[in-house]
Amino acid sequence: MQMDDRKMRVLTAVIEVYTHTGEPVGSKLVSEQMDVSSATVRNEMAALFNMGLLEQPHTSAGRLPSYTGYRLYLDQLMQTLPLTPKERGGVDALFNVRDPDPDKLLEDAAQALAQFTGCAAFTATMPPEAVTVKQVGILPSRSKAVVILIIASNGVVKSRVCRLDFALTPELLEIYNRFATATLVDKSLREISKIYLNSVAVSSGGYARVLTPILSGVYDLCQEISQGQFALSGEANLLSYKEFQPIAYEVLEFLGDRKNVLSLVQKAQGRTTVTIGRENSHPVLYDSAVVVTRYRIAGGATGAVGLIGPVRQNYAKMIPYLEYFSDTLGSLLAETYDEQQ
């Protein structure tokens, strides 16, 4: 059966009505939008049902778009709606921040995106493979504690307090810093493994015992940098959709694992990827839509913003908003990292 222009218009109308109501769509409502008879629309809806593009939950109910119907709509029929000047201004105002902290910026961005879309939203950065340690510092904190500071070549700064079981002297602090600079600066994050740091401790001779807790802290910080930054917000938004209520616990448990969410980014290809229904590889998302938009930062680093929500979304409006949002976030992160280098 051919997919002619009228069938395409009927399918588009059904999807747009269903997006707003979440209820099965009847022929009368579609006919009013298209200015054609209900009988004509019923015939076309029956044809779309036979083609697998519409579904009928009950015999007497209206029709719903199937996941196949949504895919056809996204790939061929949807016309995106450009952002209005007011919407652009709203995004620009959100990121009008002086000297932003990258971690806080990602958290605020995820929260704002969740509030705007009513979905669960996440933001993430992925550093390039060639990131190295640009600077490492061991700073005094208290008599038995130091602050380990690492600045990576991609501009990311990480620090943590390391507690010691002995009193720190100025002479020992100087030895720490010389040794750390000699063995860690210009090393890639991949090189700074547990095996390498064990060999560093052994090579320090009599200082191995006092260096071990600091080198352990260095390893943890390098792991954090190599894993990138991540923020998730709006998980509770999903509870307001009837589609998620029977599986709320499973979905929230899935989102609670950072690796699960980052796997959605890794599988996304190209600028913007929309994965709907059973296109998702995780069964818990079979009734969901995942929208991921990537952006570039600098020096090979990349980032992504994404949404997890019901399949019935206003993609024509959401996708342009998400792309403008991600571009603005990426530009600000690039400026922030440049200033830190």
Side-chain angles (χ1 to χ4, degrees):
M1 187 177 294
Q2 292 294 324
M3 189 65 178
D4 55 39
D5 180 67
R6 190 160 62 191
K7 288 184 179 62
M8 291 181 181
R9 290 170 57 210
V10 170
L11 177 61
T12 300
V14 171
I15 288 176
E16 291 176 351
V17 171
Y18 178 64
T19 296
H20 292 292
T21 67
E23 299 293 337
V25 181
S27 59
K28 182 178 179 182
L29 191 55
V30 175
S31 69
E32 291 172 352
Q33 289 202 346
M34 295 181 57
D35 195 25
V36 295
S37 70
S38 294
T40 299
V41 172
R42 279 197 299 273
N43 289 336
E44 298 292 12
M45 291 175 75
L48 292 169
F49 176 81
N50 292 332
M51 296 169 70
L53 301 175
L54 294 181
E55 296 176 346
Q56 190 171 23
H58 307 291
T59 304
S60 59
R63 305 298 170 100
L64 305 176
S66 67
Y67 297 139
T68 306
Y70 264 110
R71 176 48 59 195
L72 176 64
Y73 170 76
L74 288 167
D75 293 345
Q76 299 183 32
L77 306 179
M78 182 182 70
Q79 295 184 349
T80 56
L81 303 173
L83 270 65
T84 65
K86 183 178 180 180
E87 289 169 335
R88 286 176 175 266
V91 175
D92 294 340
L94 174 67
F95 292 117
N96 186 18
V97 184
R98 284 190 177 182
D99 303 321
D101 172 76
D103 288 325
K104 183 67 166 56
L105 183 62
L106 288 177
E107 291 174 6
D108 290 346
Q111 185 177 8
L113 200 56
Q115 289 175 347
F116 180 83
T117 61
C119 297
F122 59 87
T123 56
T125 62
M126 290 73 73
E129 294 184 1
V131 173
T132 61
V133 173
K134 182 180 178 182
Q135 184 177 339
V136 58
I138 314 297
L139 311 174
S141 176
R142 296 185 292 276
S143 63
K144 290 188 177 182
V146 295
V147 174
I148 307 170
L149 174 70
I150 292 181
I151 302 177
S153 60
N154 63 337
V156 175
V157 179
K158 292 284 184 182
S159 64
R160 73 165 46 189
V161 175
C162 177
R163 290 176 176 77
L164 309 173
D165 58 3
F166 53 87
L168 188 67
T169 65
E171 293 77 18
L172 195 54
L173 185 65
E174 183 179 351
I175 291 172
Y176 277 174
N177 277 292
R178 286 205 308 267
F179 192 79
T181 299
T183 57
L184 299 174
V185 171
D186 293 331
K187 292 286 184 182
S188 71
L189 298 181
R190 285 190 171 186
E191 290 180 278
I192 302 177
S193 62
K194 288 184 177 180
I195 294 175
Y196 174 72
L197 292 177
N198 285 338
S199 69
V200 166
V202 170
S203 69
S204 69
Y207 293 103
R209 184 184 69 84
V210 295
L211 273 172
T212 296
I214 292 179
L215 293 176
S216 177
V218 166
Y219 175 79
D220 290 341
L221 289 175
C222 288
Q223 287 296 299
E224 287 183 20
I225 296 172
S226 66
Q227 291 170 1
Q229 297 150 293
F230 175 77
L232 173 70
S233 184
E235 304 96 302
N237 289 341
L238 301 181
L239 300 179
S240 64
Y241 298 102
K242 59 184 179 182
E243 297 96 319
F244 287 99
Q245 290 170 4
I247 54 170
Y249 176 81
E250 291 83 355
V251 173
L252 294 179
E253 186 178 41
F254 174 87
L255 296 178
D257 189 332
R258 168 178 172 158
K259 291 181 181 178
N260 288 337
V261 183
L262 289 178
S263 72
L264 304 177
V265 177
Q266 294 162 357
K267 292 172 183 174
Q269 302 294 325
R271 170 72 159 122
T272 299
T273 303
V274 182
T275 310
I276 53 176
R278 292 181 176 269
E279 294 175 352
N280 289 296
S281 56
H282 302 281
V284 73
L285 298 180
Y286 280 175
D287 292 317
S288 308
V290 178
V291 186
V292 178
T293 296
R294 289 179 172 272
Y295 58 87
R296 301 198 66 79
I297 303 174
T302 60
V305 297
L307 299 172
I308 301 170
V311 175
R312 53 180 180 96
Q313 308 247 2
N314 187 354
Y315 299 101
K317 193 68 175 177
M318 178 191 295
I319 291 174
Y321 182 88
L322 203 61
E323 290 180 346
Y324 186 76
F325 188 99
S326 68
D327 288 342
T328 308
L329 174 60
S331 297
L332 186 54
L333 284 172
E335 293 174 8
T336 303
Y337 291 155
D338 285 343
E339 290 170 0
Q340 291 177 344
Q341 294 189 45

